[in-house]
Amino acid sequence: MTFADLGVIPPILKALEVQGYSQPTPIQTQAIPSLLDGSDLLGCAQTGTGKTAAFAIPIIQQLALRKDRQAAPRKIRALVVSPTRELAIQIGEQFSAYGRYTNVNNTVIFGGVKQGAQTRILRNGVDILIATPGRLLDLIGQGFVHLGEVDYVVLDEADHMLDMGFIHDIRKIIKLLPKKRQSLFFSATMPPEIIKLSANILGKPKKITIQPKQQTAELVDQGLLHVSKKNKAKLLTHILQSNNYDSTLVFSRTKHGANKIVRILNKQGIAAKAIHGNKSQVARQKALDSFKKGHTNVLVATDIAARGIDVEELSLVVNYDLPNVPETYVHRIGRTGRAKASGIALSFCSPEENVCLKDIEKLLKKRIRVIEDHPFVNDVPDISEQHSAPQRSVPHTSQNNGPRPSRKVHSRNRRRSYR
Ligand code: AMP
């Protein structure tokens, strides 16, 4: 199956070639033809499946082929609502990349920065608006954004919108849209509240479910390290210093914890930055850019700030704290082992977190391989009572599953004990 087989037009095919996409991912194969036919879509898929291109390509294509779009100034014909600024920016980047050989343009608006630059672009006219809910409502209120001509609306990461308390904002936004429109709704999970919301927004949608990565992808090599709470920072420092990972994303449960980890790593000469909700938008974007460019090797993030972050070739994900919600574990480790690359995910588990571990392993339907070969293993009380014997039988799946994010990292790490 090729993108041409799905009915994608030549200028977009050319852009996809530049991106290096040789074939569509499963969600793209399923979604693109029905979206080009004008269907509504309910997509149960998480970041990393190629879902952004699955909705961006048909929207760009439909707009590029419309003759009534030519009159200046451009009107907003497509609206994408995203829960976080980082995700909104990444969606905007993807729209720009896929639409580069068309005359369809886009802009991204989000809070936490002055609005002047955003309103200037809006005044000149855009076809596609990507927005976070708060700033969108703000600029609608000020008269800079009109949704009366919107034909395509995408609600991305709907479950995350719910978690972040955006549900009322979403309802307000939906009320401002024309009744006749194509609606796309994406969510990684489908709890009852989300299903109810989707029913309000969508007509008779085509439903697509793409299995979360952990259930399909053996791509992520997962390891579990039992360690006391007080030794976690030392263990992280030890791992980062004794290996040479190009890019490591560390998950901390709290913002305060993330700052503390960064301070400790920096003291040890490890280039690390934190990204979380208390940081200004500018600081978050700077940290992310520096990480993407490889100037910072370690990014320490909270779940909300990290979700949707799209960093290619992430070598290692560390769960410094285990999440209370088992699905979050899946989202976190999905940050490595993207589309084609495989990756490593190491989880630190203090005795207090054994309950979380149990829930995660229940969801995964398997035990995570225990790594005992680390300097702080003996400081952990009662491991044997809290977790079963090491799972030596769990295969190092990543060795058999395609290329690693970085060959250099791969060959070096092969000799280490953390894989
Ligand atoms: P997403 O799920 O939209 O966050 O996409 C995850 C990553 O996959 C992004 O870095 C995309 O650039 C990449 N991607 C999307 N579609 C394809 C494709 N057909 N082939 C290879 N990579 C892709």
Side-chain angles (χ1 to χ4, degrees):
M1 182 67 72
T2 64
F3 282 106
D5 296 334
L6 300 179
V8 176
I9 54 174
I12 302 177
L13 289 177
K14 192 170 152 193
L16 296 174
E17 204 180 309
V18 171
Q19 288 297 110
Y21 299 178
S22 52
Q23 59 186 49
T25 65
I27 193 168
Q28 291 160 5
T29 306
Q30 291 184 61
I32 291 174
S34 48
L35 289 177
L36 289 175
D37 275 349
S39 299
D40 282 1
L41 182 87
L42 176 63
C44 184
Q46 65 184 67
T47 302
T49 52
K51 74 178 158 77
T52 314
F55 65 73
I57 292 169
I59 290 176
I60 296 167
Q61 175 153 335
Q62 292 186 84
L63 289 176
L65 295 176
R66 274 175 62 158
K67 297 207 167 60
D68 63 340
R69 205 178 44 84
Q70 310 301 340
R74 294 165 193 248
K75 295 188 175 118
I76 299 167
R77 307 280 185 182
L79 172 70
V80 182
V81 188
S82 145
T84 65
R85 309 151 194 192
E86 287 79 8
L87 183 60
I89 290 169
Q90 283 173 188
I91 294 171
E93 285 168 356
Q94 291 202 45
F95 267 102
S96 299
Y98 310 141
R100 65 197 286 181
Y101 300 113
T102 69
N103 66 353
V104 178
N105 72 354
N106 75 79
T107 197
V108 184
I109 60 170
F110 45 81
V113 292
K114 288 194 180 133
Q115 67 176 46
Q118 297 176 358
T119 55
R120 262 192 302 282
I121 297 172
L122 288 168
R123 245 192 235 116
N124 290 336
V126 287
D127 299 306
I128 299 167
L129 178 65
I130 300 119
T132 53
R135 176 59 58 100
L136 176 60
L137 282 172
D138 192 359
L139 294 189
I140 290 173
Q142 295 181 50
F144 288 109
V145 173
H146 304 277
L147 300 182
E149 313 283 332
V150 169
D151 293 313
Y152 311 94
V153 63
V154 182
L155 198 63
D156 201 14
E157 300 213 339
D159 50 352
H160 199 200
M161 303 263 195
L162 194 78
D163 292 347
M164 292 179 74
F166 286 143
I167 207 80
H168 298 299
D169 286 353
I170 297 299
R171 288 192 209 282
K172 276 189 213 158
I173 293 163
I174 298 299
K175 277 199 190 128
L176 298 172
L177 294 169
K179 293 253 169 322
K180 193 171 168 296
R181 59 172 196 256
Q182 187 176 16
S183 305
L184 288 66
F185 188 103
F186 289 91
S187 190
T189 56
M190 288 285 167
E193 267 174 291
I194 289 294
I195 293 173
K196 208 168 127 200
L197 179 69
S198 72
N200 288 344
I201 295 171
L202 301 166
K204 279 195 186 133
K206 183 174 160 43
K207 290 183 186 140
I208 295 179
T209 300
I210 300 296
Q211 288 295 327
K213 280 197 149 283
Q214 96 285 3
Q215 283 157 23
T216 51
E218 299 74 36
L219 291 174
V220 181
D221 184 6
Q222 301 166 56
L224 182 74
L225 294 92
H226 286 285
V227 56
S228 66
K229 210 168 156 189
K230 72 173 172 35
N231 281 334
K232 280 188 175 184
K234 286 185 200 149
L235 178 59
L236 180 62
T237 309
H238 167 79
I239 290 172
L240 294 174
Q241 284 178 337
S242 55
N243 291 269
N244 226 328
Y245 298 113
D246 285 340
S247 53
T248 300
L249 182 56
V250 178
F251 283 95
S252 156
R253 191 176 298 146
T254 64
K255 299 165 194 170
H256 173 70
N259 289 339
K260 199 170 148 197
I261 296 166
V262 165
R263 273 200 306 274
I264 294 170
L265 293 180
N266 287 345
K267 248 190 203 160
Q268 297 300 320
I270 298 168
K273 283 195 162 66
I275 178 168
H276 55 65
N278 282 2
K279 298 255 172 193
S280 72
Q281 172 56 20
V282 174
R284 285 159 74 164
Q285 202 53 45
K286 255 190 177 163
L288 193 56
D289 286 346
S290 163
F291 186 61
K292 280 185 174 178
K293 286 183 185 139
H295 302 160
T296 305
N297 298 110
V298 183
L299 196 63
V300 185
T302 54
D303 286 302
I304 288 191
R307 187 136 169 214
I309 287 178
D310 177 25
V311 179
E312 293 200 7
E313 304 199 341
L314 197 58
S315 323
L316 172 69
V317 163
V318 176
N319 290 309
Y320 189 90
D321 300 308
L322 283 185
N324 303 327
V325 179
E327 283 80 7
T328 303
Y329 174 86
V330 175
H331 292 141
R332 288 180 179 185
I333 72 162
R335 312 255 67 77
T336 185
R338 282 292 176 90
K340 285 181 201 146
S342 59
I344 307 167
L346 297 179
S347 299
F348 294 178
C349 181
S350 68
E352 300 83 5
E353 292 171 306
N354 276 313
V355 188
C356 304
L357 174 62
K358 242 183 178 170
D359 290 343
I360 291 166
E361 292 187 330
K362 204 164 140 196
L363 178 76
L364 296 176
K365 296 196 184 80
K366 69 168 189 178
R367 311 304 289 262
I368 305 170
R369 178 174 54 93
V370 175
I371 298 171
E372 285 199 317
D373 183 13
H374 71 79
F376 307 101
V377 71
N378 292 329
D379 300 339
V380 188
D382 295 324
I383 293 177
S384 55
E385 278 172 30
Q386 317 223 22
H387 193 73
S388 71
Q391 300 288 298
R392 292 290 177 211
S393 59
V394 176
H396 287 224
T397 48
S398 59
Q399 288 182 351
N400 308 322
N401 281 290
R404 288 220 146 254
S406 152
R407 288 199 175 281
K408 192 174 68 189
V409 171
H410 179 49
S411 57
R412 270 194 208 141
N413 293 339
R414 217 186 269 257
R415 295 193 297 272
R416 306 285 177 183
S417 54
Y418 299 108
R419 301 213 28 250

